[in-house]
């Protein structure tokens, strides 16, 4: 039997997959999502969300897609890996994804641009819809792809941008953007996601357990365990989830009922002994 069922859970609470249902919305995440929706409504153009590895950018992107699905008047798409060797391939993939018909059998870059401009004008002006493009792992964008995005952001009416673009990337995206001043000038919203505090770490753990169906009054993680988890994870959600999963597995293996400080200490020592010692993430 799966460990989560033994503990009275209905599903895995600490998967590291980017399931938006398990996104703990701390104040900064909630504010970031709200600000992005406002940017879309006002059609301001370019938004940038930065954060270190494991901070939850991909899950935030999936949550944003979920929120857009619940609203009318949006056309949206997410690019998970923006590694394109040429501007032409970037445009080709985008037009294919958006199901845009091309007039020429062997389109050039100009043909792609014209087709995308017509599409954005039709959706944004004639049909009054909002087109949103979310790019995850945006720090992988090369100079040619950034130039392609700059071109797309040039498509506008007198009042609004026809494309709403969100770049989700690691901190190294910032210096990359700084080398493209024409793109930096177009950024309307800038957000940097920070690690969770101790209180937020506790709330994240409790939220995920509740979403997974845990209803017992007996806490699965005591105060000492949560303190150690926060210390060892640096407040990074992915690392918190990984440690919590390992801790629950350890409790079930030894027929326990609660994760305490000693449980977490033993896990950390085991990683050190096995040569998997933790390099604690830097706190911003």
């Amino acid at each position: 039997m799966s460990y989560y069922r033994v503990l009275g859970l209905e599903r895995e609470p600490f998967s590291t997959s980017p399931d938006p249902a398990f996104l703990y919305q701390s104040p900064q995440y909630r504010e970031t999502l709200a600000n992005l929706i406002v940017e879309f409504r006002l059609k301001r153009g370019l938004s940038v969300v930065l954060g270190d590895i494991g901070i939850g950018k991909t899950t935030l992107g999936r949550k944003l897609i979920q929120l857009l699905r619940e609203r009318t008047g949006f056309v949206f798409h997410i690019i998970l890996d923006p590694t394109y060797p040429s501007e032409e391939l970037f445009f080709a993939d985008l037009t294919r994804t958006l199901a845009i018909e091309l007039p020429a059998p062997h389109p050039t870059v100009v043909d792609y641009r014209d087709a995308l401009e017509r599409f954005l004008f039709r959706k944004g002006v004639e049909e009054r819809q909002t087109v949103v493009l979310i790019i995850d792992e945006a720090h992988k964008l090369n100079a040619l792809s950034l130039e392609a995005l700059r071109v797309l952001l040039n498509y506008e009416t007198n009042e609004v941008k026809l494309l709403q673009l969100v770049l989700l990337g690691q901190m190294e995206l910032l210096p990359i953007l700084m080398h493209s001043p024409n793109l930096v000038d177009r950024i309307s919203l800038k957000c940097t996601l920070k690690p969770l505090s101790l209180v937020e770490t506790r709330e994240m753990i409790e939220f995920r357990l509740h979403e997974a169906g845990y209803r017992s009054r007996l806490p699965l993680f005591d105060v000492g365990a949560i303190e150690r988890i926060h210390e060892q994870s640096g407040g990074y959600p992915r690392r918190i989830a990984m440690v919590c999963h390992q801790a629950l597995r350890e409790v079930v293996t030894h027929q326990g009922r609660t994760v305490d400080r000693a449980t977490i200490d033993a896990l950390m020592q085991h990683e050190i002994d096995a040569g998997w010692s933790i390099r604690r993430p830097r706190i911003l």
Side-chain angles (χ1 to χ4, degrees):
M1 182 179 292
S2 299
Y3 84 81
Y4 55 84
R5 293 180 181 172
V6 172
L7 295 172
L9 298 162
E10 297 172 0
R11 56 190 295 198
E12 162 65 69
F14 296 112
S15 170
T16 54
S17 298
D19 185 346
F22 281 89
L23 174 66
Y24 161 64
Q25 293 188 44
S26 67
Q28 64 166 337
Y29 286 78
R30 190 163 53 249
E31 181 180 1
T32 299
L33 288 167
N35 285 337
L36 286 169
I37 295 297
V38 170
E39 291 294 304
F40 299 161
R41 291 295 188 190
L42 298 177
K43 298 186 177 182
R44 298 295 301 271
L46 177 59
S47 299
V48 177
V49 180
L50 300 174
D52 282 329
I53 297 172
I55 202 69
K57 300 181 296 298
T58 298
T59 310
L60 183 111
R62 301 292 177 86
K63 185 65 177 181
L64 186 56
I65 289 292
Q66 185 183 73
L67 293 174
L68 293 178
R69 285 199 181 103
E70 297 169 356
R71 291 163 167 79
T72 58
F74 283 97
V75 177
F76 50 86
H77 178 64
I78 184 168
I79 294 176
L80 300 177
D81 184 3
T83 307
Y84 297 97
S86 69
E87 185 180 9
E88 183 177 3
L89 287 176
F90 175 82
F91 282 137
D93 185 57
L94 188 56
T95 54
R96 183 169 53 252
T97 298
L98 296 173
I100 299 174
E101 293 186 5
L102 295 166
H106 303 289
T108 64
V109 170
V110 174
D111 293 326
Y112 285 124
R113 289 181 178 180
D114 290 343
L116 284 163
E117 183 175 15
R118 289 193 299 270
F119 172 83
L120 292 173
F121 185 86
R122 175 166 54 85
K123 291 294 181 182
V125 178
E126 297 175 2
E127 300 179 13
R128 296 186 178 277
Q129 297 193 71
T130 301
V131 182
V132 179
L133 176 63
I134 303 168
I135 299 183
D136 198 8
E137 303 286 330
H139 49 276
K140 295 181 180 179
L141 288 164
N142 58 30
L144 291 174
S145 295
L146 288 172
E147 174 59 20
L149 293 175
R150 187 195 66 78
V151 170
L152 294 177
L153 288 170
N154 280 340
Y155 300 150
E156 58 191 350
T157 67
N158 290 336
E159 297 84 20
V160 297
K161 298 287 186 180
L162 294 177
L163 176 69
Q164 310 313 307
L165 176 63
V166 181
L167 301 182
L168 305 172
Q170 295 175 21
M171 299 304 298
E172 53 260 42
L173 173 61
L174 183 58
I176 293 173
L177 292 175
M178 296 305 293
H179 283 92
S180 302
N182 289 332
L183 198 58
V184 170
D185 289 344
R186 289 167 168 78
I187 300 176
S188 178
L189 175 68
K190 310 181 192 73
C191 300
T192 300
L193 299 176
K194 305 289 186 180
L196 302 180
S197 68
L198 174 58
V199 172
E200 291 169 339
T201 297
R202 174 181 57 78
E203 291 177 350
M204 173 189 160
I205 293 171
E206 293 175 349
F207 167 77
R208 283 196 163 216
L209 288 171
H210 186 271
E211 286 297 305
Y214 190 70
R215 297 295 182 268
S216 173
R217 293 183 179 181
L218 177 68
L220 278 180
F221 293 80
D222 70 14
V223 174
I226 292 173
E227 289 175 349
R228 291 294 283 147
I229 290 168
H230 179 260
E231 179 183 342
Q232 293 297 329
S233 67
Y236 285 76
R238 183 189 299 166
R239 181 61 185 165
I240 293 170
M242 292 174 65
V243 175
C244 286
H245 168 72
Q246 294 167 1
L248 289 184
R249 186 181 59 200
E250 189 74 8
V251 164
V252 170
T253 300
H254 293 88
Q255 299 182 341
R257 290 298 301 170
T258 303
V259 177
D260 57 17
R261 182 186 293 268
T263 306
I264 305 302
D265 286 340
L267 284 173
M268 298 305 105
Q269 187 60 50
H270 176 73
E271 289 200 1
I272 293 173
D273 294 342
W276 292 90
S277 57
I278 300 169
R279 182 173 60 85
R280 193 174 303 166
R282 60 189 178 89
I283 303 294
L284 299 179

